[in-house]
Amino acid sequence: MTRTQSLRSSVERLNGYTLLRDPHHNKGLAFTERERDAHYLHGLLPPAVLTQELQVRKLMHNIRNYEVPLNKYVAMMELQERNERLFYRLLIDNVEELLPVVYTPTVGEACQKYGSIFKRPQGLYISLKEKGKILEVLKNWPERNIQVIVVTDGERILGLGDLGCQGMGIPVGKLALYTALGGVRPSACLPITIDVGTNNQKLLDDEFYIGLRQTRATGKEYSDLLEEFMSAVKQNYGEKVLVQFEDFANHNAFELLAKYKTSHLVFNDDIQGTASVVLAGLVASLKLLGGSLTDHTFLFFGAGEAGTGIAELIALDISSKTHIPLEEARKKIWLVDSKGLIVGSRRESLQHFKKPWAHEHEPLSTLLDAVNAIKPSILIGTSGVGQTFTKDVVEAMAAINKKPLIMALSNPTSQAECTAEQAYTWTEGHAIFSSGSPFDPYEYNGKTFIPGQANNAYVFPGLGFGLVICGAIRMHDEMLLAASEALANQVTEEHCSKGMIYPPLTNIRKISAHIAANVAAKAYELVGDAVKCMHHNMRIGGLLTSLKFNAKEILKPVRLP
Ligand SMILES: O=C([O-])CC(=O)C(=O)O
Ligand SMILES: [Mg+2]
């Protein structure tokens, strides 16, 4: 018997007590009388039969009764481990309320305390101890048909720094959104944490720490382990498995993406997913600000993965729409890092991913000086450091612009560059504000402002789903632009009139379907282009005409022959 057959027959045999303890199939009190007959469940459940709707109401009531967000998180994780379909029903039906529980900001706190709340492993741990055996470790995972892997090495968890092996909360949370927001089957999702040690001394000293008790492996030892991992993934799951890199530290994030983007289907959510979402918000904001992106000047605070990733996608978009060279487009975009404005005189000492942003200007050491000198219309925080958009900085933005666009993207909420309240009050209600972690609507002078959540969660589930259903084997920047365009198209005049530059998250599944459709259509277009070049366009031409996507059709998986 093959492994798949034996797994299938073990599912078929699930009955009685075992069935109730299998989170993928357990329905708890929602098992009907017929199901209770067929699966030997009588007596194992109390007599009442509840509808799933009633179960949702009960669970939401329980969760709302917890005041501490971490308790809500634990309750949700326990539900996921007990009754998966109810967990997703809850999340899908209450996305605005539960996203902050299973995702940022609460997931950040959960990772910080993962050692003490850890009950059952929810993903695969690959540590230096598994060196040479990674393929075998992958085979220990019970599911074979994996479509999406989210992997972290825990070195830069949100804006919270190195959380080592406890970063597992992030891939688990991201993949929950792949299902709830994007529609990927839960069994096709695999969360992975690569443990090469941690430089977080507090964790190393913590008796409950769950990871390797050593400082981080670097250099060849690190890259060899990742190389073994990436080839094992391809060998075990094929070319079409999507690997999403998440919360790696800058140096590794850029290197891994550059190294594997030509041989694997990979994308880095922090560099590329965030960029796609932010670009969508910027394009949508033009409905409020007028003009086109070329008419704006952008200033970033933070020049790491998110900052340089967003900056590059903006430049790419400007360049592709206006046909000005990329180098020219970049000149509208300025970045400030911990040493001040990135300028030509610093070029030699800059890390390679910052070099394209070293424009000619006198050196300036503070963000406030940079705002006053560059006079940006758009200020974007990607520093990972909270409260860095001070009152002076925000007031300077308001003095320069009628409607300053301010994005405080760092996560979780504690690391946001400023709060929604600060942005609105310091600009006397003139700011258009978005943040990475959610803020409640804020009332100022009798008007309610709704802050947007410029978080990559708007894009990665739809982008990933799009890549998976069209059978793509490589990710291209054009697909990021396609995802971004689809998201921006979901922002209506009505949203804009409320100051919103993102559509409400309530409609996220529909939004994801549009994104997936646009990404898949772009993938086919690119394949079409490539094949045309090789004079084989007949077969692909037929495919293209058969793929007049709409949001409903895209939910049915489509396969390239
Ligand atoms: O997880 C989030 O909320 C967004 C993200 O990727 C990060 O901050 O690293
Ligand atoms: Mg991230």
Side-chain angles (χ1 to χ4, degrees), residues 386-449:
Q387 289 298 310
T388 39
F389 289 175
T390 56
K391 189 161 186 271
D392 286 350
V393 166
V394 175
E395 283 178 351
M397 284 298 291
I400 299 163
N401 304 284
K402 250 171 53 199
K403 282 187 189 163
L405 175 47
I406 295 175
M407 293 186 150
L409 299 184
S410 295
N411 297 312
T413 321
S414 58
Q415 311 309 109
E417 283 78 5
C418 67
T419 64
E421 175 177 347
Q422 289 167 335
Y424 295 127
T425 53
W426 292 342
T427 61
E428 298 178 349
H430 292 294
I432 302 168
F433 176 76
S434 279
S435 51
S437 296
F439 280 102
D440 288 335
Y442 183 72
E443 203 183 300
Y444 180 80
N445 272 354
K447 192 170 170 211
T448 302
F449 294 88

Side-chain angles (χ1 to χ4, degrees), residues 60 63 76 87 90-92 94-103:
M60 284 310 291
I63 285 170
M76 282 300 282
F87 168 81
L90 228 63
L91 198 49
I92 291 167
N94 300 276
V95 66
E96 303 229 19
E97 185 174 347
L98 293 179
L99 213 57
V101 175
V102 300
Y103 193 59

